[in-house]
Amino acid sequence: MPRDQRQTLWGKLVLLLQDVLQELPEERREEGMEVEAAADPKHVMAVVDGVTLVASASLNVLQEGDSYSALLETAHRLHAVLESLPVSEAPLQIHILTLCEAWWKKSLKEKEKFGRTAFLVSLQKSLTVKKPGVEIQRVWSLHDVLLSLDFTSEDNKQAADMLLQCFQFPNFIKNDDGKRFLVFLFSWDVGFIPMIHGTVKNELEFYSKTKTAHITEIYFRAWKKASGDFLEQIESVCVQDLMRSAILLSRTSPVFDKVRQIVNYFHKKKSCPRVEKMLYNLYKPILWRALSAPNFEVRANAALLFAEAFPIHDPEQNCSNIDETIQKQLDTAMELLNDSHPTVRSSATLGVCKILAKCWELFPPTIITDFLKKMMELATDSSSADVRCSVFKSLPIVLENALSHPILEKLLPTLKYSLHDSSEKVRAAFVDVLIKGKEVRALKFWDVCNTDHLLARLAIDTHPVSKRIVDLLFKSFFPVSEPEREWCCRCITLIQMNPMAARKFYHYAAQHTASSNILNLMLAIRRVLNSCIQKDNDLSEINDSNKENSAQADPLLDAVTVARLLEVVVILWKTVEKALKRNEDARNYMFAKFGNVMSKYFQAFEDEQCTAPLIQLASFMPPAAVPTFSCGVLSRLRRMDSGAAPAQYSQLLHCMCSWGLCADVLELITDWLSEALPKHGDKANTNRKVRIQETVEAKPDLALTYLEYLFNHTSTREKVLSVGEGPLKQLHTVLGNWQSVLYSHLSSASQDPKRPEVETALRVFMYHGRLSAHLQHNFSEGRDYLLSTERVASWVAEEVLPFMAKPVSHDDSEDSEKTQRLAAKITESFLTVCRDVILVGLADKAFTDQILHLCLLTLVSDAGYLCVPAVLHILKEVATDALVPVENEQDLENQEDPTSLNLGVVAKIFQVIIELLARRLRKEPEEGKQLCQAAVPGLADFLQVAQTWGREPLCGVFSTLFAVIIVEKTHLLQKMSHPEEMITPESVEDMPPLSSVLLSVILKSPCVTRAFLSEVSSTLDSEDISSLNNLAAILHVLAVIKHTGQSKASLKSAAASVQQQLHKHAFTCNDSRDIPRVLYESSVKTLNEILDL
């Protein structure tokens, strides 16, 4: 298009744009076009869009010498439109921005205005849109616009804020163009650099490790491109500040690791002379001073930086000066290894190992030898396990350098006893050194540490150490590349060397090889076991092939080794059990292979050591795979002696559970417990003969033993509960019927040979309650089984407690005492069950109310003191269950708290308990002391819960404690007849009996101590206590607390409250020999000692 036509076009564009914009009312133009207008808005926007596109196209054909004043006017009008466009006109906005961007890039008149607009709008969009990649690219393409903006101008303050937000925006930090832009921002203005660094420091806590790595790269690239004032500012404000922070920050700081990550990036770039020069200059004023700082953590941090940056020297120095500098730094490293604090020695150890690994070939042998000798010395540093651990954690770094292998191969055997170090982390780190040495082929681990020692440690050590030893020994005892026969030979060797270690080794073996190899080892062991019984049995039907019997025969093994091999098979099966469940074919294959030899194994391996693993092996398979054995398991359980050890029946019960035959075991237990009950008449006996096919006497004790085992182990308990409610409900009913046996023991002291033992009846009573809890949790949607437990509570209250309250007569005092003790045992057993019900959250308010009522009835009975420990545990669980979160406490102030009634009862019962303990100490001092000691755990737990309540009613608990302690101590002071008897106590042992016990419980917990002292202060401030004896008693209590060194602030506050009351007695005591005078002076002295803390 000719120049005249272009200019005519641009002139008409101005007129068209002017006319179309005038069709809009003034308000619409000024207020963002939000008012209805006569012209069609869509038509207007279409025309404006067309003008914009033509203007943009015109810029592409603009030639030198063209007069574009009309085009400039069009651009100004479109720029004005841009500021008032609504969000719905996004396409038009993009077109106008494209025009502004093109205007800037063409460097036309007034480009700064258009460039600034395009840049700021793009920057704002890049921070708000979900996918900002395109906008970030546009921002980078316009980054030169910033050079035309004045950083100090108020007009650009908003732009500066948005630029700082870019450092908080992950998409900017990760995007390549975003990184280029952020690097460029360091060169915008020198004054902007501190603002950038401050923003990064504030955000550093929230950066991930990956994000920190991106920020680190941005810092380094900005430093690399900078020069002049910008370079100086980046080094001093940013890099050196990060170095200083890496030295001064505590290691527990959330930004410590991230600051270290940034600084380490610069250390890794030391190969560049410019970086080396910068590190030398920046570390010079801060690092060497920090290495000798009084604070050990500063020295430790500086030691790490020093090692990572080593050697720190000026690359422009001559060689002799560099050697002298490095020698001084090596001397510094040795001094750090000798530091008095273990944290510094640990950090220095790590640092020296990094230095040796990096610079081994540069050091003379004497320096290397000196450092390694010091390492060997620190490896046995008896003063710090951390230092010893640091040595072994750092040595693998040295082993990375092949030049270190010859000397370490000679030195490491001197540390072989570190395998038996008292610290677990040291032992684990030592084994890691052996593993590293094996990996890099630097040494033979058996030359460093004997295999027998490794196996001995494997047998007894913890999981972290054991798994490392298995990693070290795995290829030695499980050579996967060798034939399977060799695997088995190594297995036998390991068993013979250390059976316990063999168990551990094969427990972890599945972590180091495929499940298929584990299965092949099991089959290889099976072949060896088969060969052991070939001598006496024809195994043609169970051998895998003729190949097994040909060639080299397996050696015959003794019974102990056979038992250990069976144990290994069991352990291996457990490790691949999940894999077998996922592979049906493999599982069926293993079932078939082991199933057809199990009967032979049971016949041939009759030793007791072999029986347990054989039974466990059978439990992994379905009963059809071991028909001969599975048919006799229930009979074996039935014929078991009542006093059988767990090893005799535990595996049999596991078998029944794994086979899904729990119902049969429950039926056996139910039958025995039912049969053991006293029968009335012969009819019941004839009915039971139909059900029991084997004539075996009832064994209620063994039934309870089975029941206890089934419910105490998670795997068996889940199987039992999966049986369903029917059999368990029947068992529950039978257990409940034993209450009559307990009552018969209570009501009749005479011995009846047909009546079950009282201990058995008590155990049944306990399991009835426990089974009720299980049934309530698993099967009841209402409160059916809670009602059952409540009925038992009523039975205890109505039938059992009267025997505790029964007065002891002179004629049958021994029988009455036994009855009281039995009634107390029954009550205590039931309260223990109720404690567990409340603990697991099954109790509701009705249940809790009834149990608290039972507790109160129990305590007021004559022998109720025997149940104090059980009642305290109930109170603790009720208080815990009623705890209300702090945010809800304000809501409870305006309404009746449903838990307050229960807690009021709890506080009342606690008061009764304290009175009961005091009464028992007065009547029977020795028995009272035993009772107090038995109550200590329950008291401690209850007070720990009570102190968390800052309001009534549990605050009354500490009022009760305070009152009883002061009353007891005041009573002792009142009995004083001579001034010489005035002795201020120093420990709880110097206090009266009950006060001694209560204070020992209170002082166990700082929180409880503070709550108690708060009660002391509030009571004194209310002026309820004012007598001299009471104040002296309080000060004696405070003196005991003072000697423990706890809660000094609360202690001084309580002492200040005493001081306000004590000064009233200053003029009432005149005679220096008068007891009140002595009491006053002693109190003042004690008070001053407390206030002077």
Side-chain angles (χ1 to χ4, degrees):
M1 182 181 290
R3 180 177 296 177
D4 293 341
Q5 291 182 1
R6 289 200 301 271
Q7 290 180 351
T8 302
L9 172 63
W10 297 338
K12 290 183 177 181
L13 277 179
V14 175
L15 294 175
L16 176 61
L17 184 60
Q18 182 179 348
D19 292 342
V20 78
L21 290 178
Q22 284 179 350
E23 293 181 12
L24 296 175
E26 187 67 24
E27 295 83 359
R28 185 175 179 96
R29 277 179 274 160
E30 292 179 357
E31 299 175 11
M33 303 182 186
E34 294 176 356
V35 183
E36 290 296 328
D40 182 6
K42 291 184 179 180
H43 172 71
V44 173
M45 291 299 105
V47 173
V48 173
D49 194 22
V51 171
T52 305
L53 293 173
V54 173
S56 298
S58 298
L59 289 181
N60 295 329
V61 297
L62 189 65
Q63 297 177 3
E64 188 176 352
D66 284 351
S67 175
Y68 53 88
S69 56
L71 194 58
L72 177 60
E73 186 178 350
T74 302
H76 278 303
R77 290 184 181 276
L78 291 172
H79 185 274
V81 170
L82 178 65
E83 296 176 354
S84 58
L85 278 179
V87 179
S88 59
E89 297 297 338
L92 176 56
Q93 184 186 49
I94 293 172
H95 292 157
I96 298 176
L97 285 175
T98 304
L99 174 65
C100 292
E101 182 180 356
W103 198 281
W104 164 263
K105 290 181 178 178
K106 284 282 188 179
S107 296
L108 302 178
K109 294 177 182 178
E110 301 185 32
K111 67 172 185 175
E112 292 80 7
K113 175 181 179 180
F114 298 109
R116 182 180 186 277
T117 299
F119 175 77
L120 292 180
V121 173
S122 296
L123 180 61
Q124 187 172 18
K125 290 176 69 176
S126 69
L127 296 172
T128 55
V129 298
K130 291 183 178 179
K131 296 181 179 180
V134 175
E135 295 301 331
I136 291 175
Q137 190 175 8
R138 189 191 300 274
V139 169
W140 169 241
S141 69
L142 293 168
H143 69 276
D144 288 338
V145 173
L146 271 177
L147 299 177
S148 65
L149 301 184
D150 182 8
F151 166 69
T152 59
S153 172
E154 284 294 324
D155 295 338
N156 295 322
K157 186 175 181 182
Q158 183 181 1
D161 291 340
M162 283 196 293
L163 292 172
L164 292 175
Q165 287 180 40
C166 296
F167 287 91
Q168 305 169 1
F169 198 52
N171 288 317
F172 252 104
I173 295 171
K174 296 176 182 177
N175 186 284
D176 288 339
D177 285 330
K179 282 184 186 176
R180 293 188 189 99
F181 180 68
L182 295 180
V183 169
F184 169 77
L185 290 181
F186 281 87
S187 61
W188 178 31
D189 190 281
V190 172
F192 194 53
I193 294 175
M195 297 175 68
I196 293 174
H197 187 59
T199 302
V200 171
K201 285 177 67 176
N202 291 336
E203 291 295 313
L204 202 55
E205 180 180 354
F206 310 105
Y207 284 172
S208 64
K209 192 172 182 180
T210 305
K211 199 172 176 181
T212 305
H214 290 302
I215 284 290
T216 303
E217 184 185 351
I218 291 167
Y219 266 115
F220 182 76
R221 285 166 58 178
W223 171 82
K224 195 173 181 181
K225 290 185 177 183
S227 60
D229 293 341
F230 289 94
L231 177 62
E232 183 181 347
Q233 191 77 346
I234 290 173
E235 287 184 350
S236 61
V237 171
C238 302
V239 182
Q240 193 172 49
D241 180 62
L242 289 167
M243 290 173 171
R244 190 177 288 107
S245 298
I247 292 172
L248 300 178
L249 277 174
S250 169
R251 296 190 179 191
T252 58
S253 168
V255 299
F256 177 76
D257 291 334
K258 293 160 188 175
V259 171
R260 284 283 314 280
Q261 182 181 346
I262 298 173
V263 175
N264 284 349
Y265 187 89
F266 284 86
H267 294 159
K268 291 174 183 177
K269 299 291 183 180
K270 268 179 87 316
S271 55
C272 172
R274 187 181 166 205
V275 176
E276 198 167 25
K277 174 75 173 176
M278 180 266 289
L279 292 174
Y280 173 76
N281 291 333
L282 296 186
Y283 272 134
K284 189 174 181 180
I286 59 174
L287 182 63
W288 311 114
R289 185 183 302 172
L291 287 171
S292 57
N295 185 292
F296 76 89
E297 201 164 7
V298 172
R299 296 200 305 277
N301 292 343
L304 287 177
L305 293 183
F306 164 64
E308 287 160 359
F310 181 90
I312 304 172
H313 65 89
D314 186 353
E316 297 175 0
Q317 285 181 323
N318 57 45
C319 292
S320 60
N321 288 339
I322 290 176
D323 290 343
E324 184 180 347
T325 301
I326 291 176
Q327 184 57 52
K328 287 181 180 179
Q329 292 178 19
L330 291 174
D331 294 340
T332 301
M334 184 61 77
E335 290 174 8
L336 290 170
L337 290 174
N338 292 310
D339 195 277
S340 60
H341 201 281
T343 303
V344 182
R345 296 200 300 276
S346 298
S347 298
T349 299
L350 176 59
V352 166
C353 285
K354 287 182 177 180
I355 291 171
L356 288 176
K358 183 168 53 175
C359 307
W360 187 284
E361 58 272 24
L362 304 178
F363 292 155
T366 52
I367 290 177
I368 294 172
T369 304
D370 290 345
F371 275 127
L372 289 179
K373 283 182 178 179
K374 188 61 185 178
M375 288 292 175
M376 300 303 110
E377 181 184 328
L378 292 174
T380 56
D381 186 345
S382 59
S383 65
S384 173
D386 288 336
V387 174
R388 301 196 301 274
C389 182
S390 180
V391 172
F392 293 117
K393 281 188 174 181
S394 305
L395 282 176
I397 300 173
V398 182
L399 285 168
E400 290 286 352
N401 191 319
L403 298 175
S404 68
H405 296 175
I407 188 168
L408 286 177
E409 191 175 8
K410 295 177 181 178
L411 290 176
L412 283 175
T414 63
L415 303 177
K416 60 184 178 181
Y417 294 115
S418 296
L419 179 67
H420 305 290
D421 196 281
S422 58
S423 170
E424 178 194 88
K425 61 184 178 182
V426 175
R427 298 195 301 272
F430 176 75
V431 180
D432 282 336
V433 172
L434 299 182
I435 293 171
K436 185 65 180 180
K438 181 182 176 184
E439 286 177 0
V440 299
R441 302 182 182 277
L443 48 88
K444 298 179 177 66
F445 68 83
W446 54 86
D447 289 338
V448 177
C449 194
N450 190 282
T451 306
D452 290 334
H453 283 257
L454 289 167
L455 293 177
R457 180 50 62 183
L458 172 61
I460 62 173
D461 220 322
T462 55
H463 170 72
V465 182
S466 296
K467 70 177 183 180
R468 286 173 168 83
I469 296 176
V470 171
D471 186 11
L472 180 67
L473 299 175
F474 186 76
K475 289 184 179 178
S476 300
F477 292 103
F478 202 144
V480 178
S481 58
E482 299 288 334
E484 294 171 9
R485 179 182 178 80
E486 183 62 25
W487 302 359
C488 208
C489 291
R490 301 283 179 96
C491 176
I492 293 170
T493 302
L494 179 55
I495 286 171
Q496 291 171 344
M497 290 178 72
N498 194 315
M500 277 295 293
R503 294 189 187 101
K504 280 273 196 79
F505 179 87
Y506 290 107
H507 174 73
Y508 294 108
Q511 299 176 13
H512 299 275
T513 189
S515 298
S516 58
N517 289 332
I518 300 294
L519 297 177
N520 288 334
L521 175 59
M522 292 165 63
L523 293 171
I525 294 174
R526 171 185 172 277
R527 287 193 290 271
V528 171
L529 295 173
N530 289 351
S531 68
C532 291
I533 54 178
Q534 275 183 340
K535 185 176 179 181
D536 300 320
N537 298 281
D538 179 15
L539 290 186
S540 58
E541 73 280 6
I542 63 173
N543 282 330
D544 295 336
S545 66
N546 292 332
K547 184 180 178 182
E548 291 181 352
N549 300 320
S550 61
Q552 187 177 356
D554 291 294
L556 291 177
L557 304 174
D558 59 86
V560 175
T561 306
V562 169
R564 301 291 179 261
L565 281 171
L566 288 169
E567 289 175 359
V568 168
V569 173
V570 170
I571 291 168
L572 291 173
W573 196 304
K574 284 182 178 179
T575 63
V576 294
E577 196 167 12
K578 290 183 179 178
L580 286 175
K581 286 180 180 178
R582 294 192 297 267
N583 191 331
E584 191 71 23
D585 293 338
R587 185 169 62 164
N588 291 336
Y589 182 78
M590 297 300 289
F591 286 164
K593 283 294 180 183
F594 279 93
N596 66 359
V597 296
M598 287 300 292
S599 60
K600 298 289 185 180
Y601 287 176
F602 274 112
Q603 292 174 14
F605 308 136
E606 295 179 342
D607 189 270
E608 186 178 346
Q609 295 182 74
C610 297
T611 304
L614 279 174
I615 294 174
Q616 202 164 359
L617 191 58
S619 71
F620 297 143
M621 294 180 273
V626 283
T628 307
F629 172 72
S630 61
C631 292
V633 171
L634 190 61
S635 296
R636 290 177 67 173
L637 288 170
R638 187 177 283 117
R639 292 194 302 271
M640 197 76 64
D641 294 332
S642 292
Q648 295 177 269
Y649 59 79
S650 59
Q651 297 301 331
L652 298 175
L653 290 174
H654 275 287
C655 277
M656 295 297 288
C657 289
S658 63
W659 294 338
L661 300 176
C662 290
D664 294 345
V665 180
L666 289 177
E667 184 180 3
L668 175 64
I669 293 171
T670 305
D671 287 344
W672 275 349
L673 292 173
S674 181
E675 284 292 318
L677 283 169
K679 301 296 187 296
H680 303 285
D682 296 328
K683 187 175 180 179
N685 290 331
T686 57
N687 288 340
R688 300 305 298 175
K689 286 176 185 176
V690 177
R691 295 192 60 187
I692 300 180
Q693 297 174 357
E694 280 188 73
T695 307
V696 179
E697 63 173 339
K699 302 173 184 177
D701 289 311
L702 188 57
L704 293 173
T705 300
Y706 290 168
L707 190 62
E708 180 178 18
Y709 187 89
L710 289 173
F711 276 98
N712 281 356
H713 295 79
T714 305
S715 59
T716 53
R717 181 170 64 247
E718 290 174 354
K719 298 288 186 181
V720 169
L721 293 173
S722 67
V723 168
E725 186 177 5
L728 291 170
K729 189 173 183 180
Q730 184 180 357
L731 175 60
H732 181 261
T733 303
V734 172
L735 291 171
N737 293 338
W738 277 69
Q739 289 180 22
S740 60
V741 178
L742 278 178
Y743 186 77
S744 66
H745 279 285
L746 281 171
S747 56
S748 174
S750 60
Q751 295 293 329
D752 185 354
K754 295 182 180 181
R755 186 171 61 188
E757 295 290 335
V758 65
E759 289 80 9
T760 305
L762 270 172
R763 288 180 67 196
V764 172
F765 184 63
M766 282 281 290
Y767 283 111
H768 176 256
R770 286 182 60 185
L771 186 56
S772 296
H774 283 295
L775 291 171
Q776 177 65 33
H777 179 258
N778 289 278
F779 300 107
S780 177
E781 294 182 0
R783 57 192 317 274
D784 300 341
Y785 296 100
L786 275 183
L787 285 172
S788 170
T789 309
E790 289 174 1
R791 284 193 290 271
V792 176
S794 300
W795 176 79
V796 171
E798 295 168 6
E799 304 292 343
V800 178
L801 290 185
F803 290 96
M804 292 175 67
K806 186 178 178 180
V808 180
S809 62
H810 296 289
D811 299 332
D812 56 350
S813 59
E814 185 176 349
D815 290 341
S816 297
E817 186 176 350
K818 285 182 179 179
T819 301
Q820 275 190 334
R821 297 278 176 180
L822 176 57
K825 277 186 179 181
I826 294 171
T827 307
E828 189 174 18
S829 299
F830 179 70
L831 291 177
T832 301
V833 170
C834 294
R835 186 260 331 254
D836 293 338
V837 171
I838 300 170
L839 174 64
V840 298
L842 292 175
D844 55 15
K845 187 177 184 302
F847 180 86
T848 305
D849 288 345
Q850 185 166 353
I851 300 308
L852 288 176
H853 181 65
L854 176 63
C855 290
L856 200 53
L857 293 176
T858 301
L859 293 174
V860 298
S861 60
D862 288 349
Y865 63 89
L866 296 172
C867 299
V868 163
V871 173
L872 280 169
H873 288 302
I874 290 279
L875 299 187
K876 181 254 181 181
E877 296 305 334
V878 172
T880 302
D881 190 52
L883 276 176
V884 180
V886 176
E887 59 264 26
N888 293 337
E889 290 186 4
Q890 291 181 352
D891 298 337
L892 293 174
E893 291 177 2
N894 302 323
Q895 60 184 21
E896 185 179 355
D897 184 356
T899 63
S900 62
L901 297 177
N902 276 348
L903 293 178
V905 177
V906 167
K908 180 180 178 182
I909 293 174
F910 181 77
Q911 183 178 350
V912 172
I913 288 173
I914 299 300
E915 292 172 355
L916 199 57
L917 293 176
R919 192 180 310 122
R920 206 67 204 162
L921 280 167
R922 286 197 304 271
K923 290 184 177 180
E924 298 286 344
E926 287 304 316
E927 187 180 12
K929 288 179 181 178
Q930 293 178 8
L931 178 62
C932 287
Q933 290 304 316
V936 163
L939 275 171
D941 291 342
F942 175 69
L943 292 180
Q944 193 66 40
V945 176
Q947 62 86 21
T948 60
W949 284 76
R951 56 186 178 82
E952 291 291 348
L954 281 188
C955 286
V957 167
F958 290 97
S959 301
T960 300
L961 288 174
F962 177 59
V964 73
I965 291 172
I966 298 309
V967 166
E968 188 178 29
K969 185 62 184 176
T970 301
H971 179 69
L972 200 64
L973 291 174
Q974 288 173 343
K975 290 169 62 177
M976 191 171 59
S977 56
H978 297 286
E980 290 78 8
E981 296 177 19
M982 172 58 64
I983 300 174
T984 303
E986 296 185 356
S987 66
V988 291
E989 288 78 11
D990 300 332
M991 296 293 287
L994 183 57
S995 299
S996 175
V997 171
L998 295 179
L999 279 175
S1000 67
V1001 172
I1002 290 169
L1003 294 175
K1004 281 182 180 179
S1005 167
C1007 297
V1008 175
T1009 305
R1010 284 195 295 271
F1012 177 75
L1013 289 171
S1014 176
E1015 177 61 33
V1016 173
S1017 298
S1018 62
T1019 304
L1020 287 166
D1021 292 342
S1022 65
E1023 299 186 359
D1024 291 340
I1025 293 179
S1026 58
S1027 73
L1028 181 60
N1029 284 331
N1030 286 342
L1031 294 173
I1034 293 173
L1035 284 169
H1036 282 191
V1037 172
L1038 297 183
V1040 171
I1041 298 175
K1042 175 181 77 77
H1043 283 286
T1044 66
Q1046 291 188 39
S1047 307
K1048 292 183 179 179
S1050 300
L1051 185 64
K1052 286 185 176 181
S1053 175
S1057 299
V1058 174
Q1059 189 180 35
Q1060 293 177 5
Q1061 301 291 335
L1062 188 63
H1063 76 277
K1064 299 176 182 178
H1065 300 273
F1067 305 104
T1068 59
C1069 311
N1070 298 319
D1071 187 357
S1072 61
R1073 297 293 298 166
D1074 189 26
I1075 289 178
R1077 178 73 178 184
V1078 173
L1079 195 61
Y1080 173 77
E1081 290 177 351
S1082 173
S1083 299
V1084 170
K1085 181 182 177 182
T1086 304
L1087 181 64
N1088 291 334
E1089 289 175 355
I1090 295 172
L1091 292 174
D1092 290 341
L1093 282 175

